[in-house]
Amino acid sequence: MSQLTYAAVFGLYVFGLASLAYYEYRGVDDSSDYMIASGNLRSSFAGISELFSAMSGFWLIGITGFAYVVGTWAWIAIISQVTGWVIMYYGVAGRLKRSSTVVGEETLPSYLGTLFGSKLVLLIASIALVVFETVYVSSQITAGATALQPFFDLPWMTSAFIMGAIIVLYTGAGGFQAVAVSDFIQGV
């Protein structure tokens, strides 16, 4: 395929994400809409979205590189990841959703702070969330830039800025609902 074809497909992809973000943005009235999709996102949909989101950069770039380095031992990472998904989906997600609804909190740090009645727990959980989500989003940007770079013969840093801008665009505009829907669509 030519670079023009790649550019057209990529342009349609970005247009689709921007359209989705705009569509979801119209339904955002408050922080509950933005952060947790008003709590109306079905757990099966959210679970599938999380699965595809985690699989994107990790499975495209991470696990293939890991398998290249360590060989068949990479199956241990795959089995561990799948086991973690099953435990989280069947053992934790439903109970956490029900409990956080009763407590009335929208984020995991605020839920833990309220549950334990401690501002220190809230602070530690908030710092942990910022640190780990920064690493996670950075790895997604890295994976996207690594995949984008050879198609357009761009410097890696330029590719990383493009991917970061796209992520900020649809996440910042549409909130959790836009992220969940885009992860679901991209995974299917």
Side-chain angles (χ1 to χ4, degrees):
M1 281 207 258
S2 70
Q3 278 195 334
L4 183 60
T5 304
Y6 289 135
V9 170
F10 188 69
L12 284 172
Y13 169 74
V14 172
F15 177 76
L17 285 177
S19 298
L20 172 66
Y22 175 73
Y23 176 78
E24 296 301 340
Y25 169 77
R26 295 180 323 154
V28 173
D29 293 325
D30 57 23
S31 66
S32 177
D33 290 337
Y34 185 80
M35 291 192 294
I36 60 170
S38 298
N40 296 327
L41 193 63
R42 290 193 341 242
S43 58
S44 58
F45 191 84
I48 290 169
S49 167
E50 193 284 328
L51 175 67
F52 290 140
S53 176
M55 288 172 57
S56 60
F58 174 72
W59 289 85
L60 176 67
I61 305 293
I63 202 68
T64 53
F66 184 64
Y68 177 77
V69 172
V70 302
T72 56
W73 283 100
W75 282 105
I76 292 173
I78 294 169
I79 291 168
S80 298
Q81 185 78 32
V82 171
T83 302
W85 286 329
V86 169
I87 291 169
M88 291 302 292
Y89 185 75
Y90 291 107
V92 177
R95 282 189 267 173
L96 181 60
K97 181 172 174 32
R98 285 187 300 275
S99 180
S100 65
T101 301
V102 169
V103 172
E105 296 294 350
E106 297 176 342
T107 67
L108 188 57
S110 61
Y111 167 75
L112 292 172
T114 301
L115 185 68
F116 292 104
S118 169
K119 291 197 182 277
L120 180 61
V121 170
L122 172 65
L123 178 65
I124 291 169
S126 298
I127 291 169
L129 181 68
V130 168
V131 168
F132 291 115
E133 284 299 314
T134 300
V135 170
Y136 173 74
V137 171
S138 298
S139 69
Q140 295 299 320
I141 292 171
T142 299
T146 302
L148 184 65
Q149 181 186 13
F151 289 111
F152 297 108
D153 196 29
L154 294 170
W156 186 88
M157 191 60 75
T158 303
S159 297
F161 280 120
I162 291 170
M163 293 308 296
I166 291 168
I167 290 169
V168 167
L169 169 77
Y170 79 87
T171 303
F176 179 63
Q177 180 80 22
V179 172
V181 172
S182 69
D183 288 341
F184 181 82
I185 291 169
Q186 292 174 77
V188 174

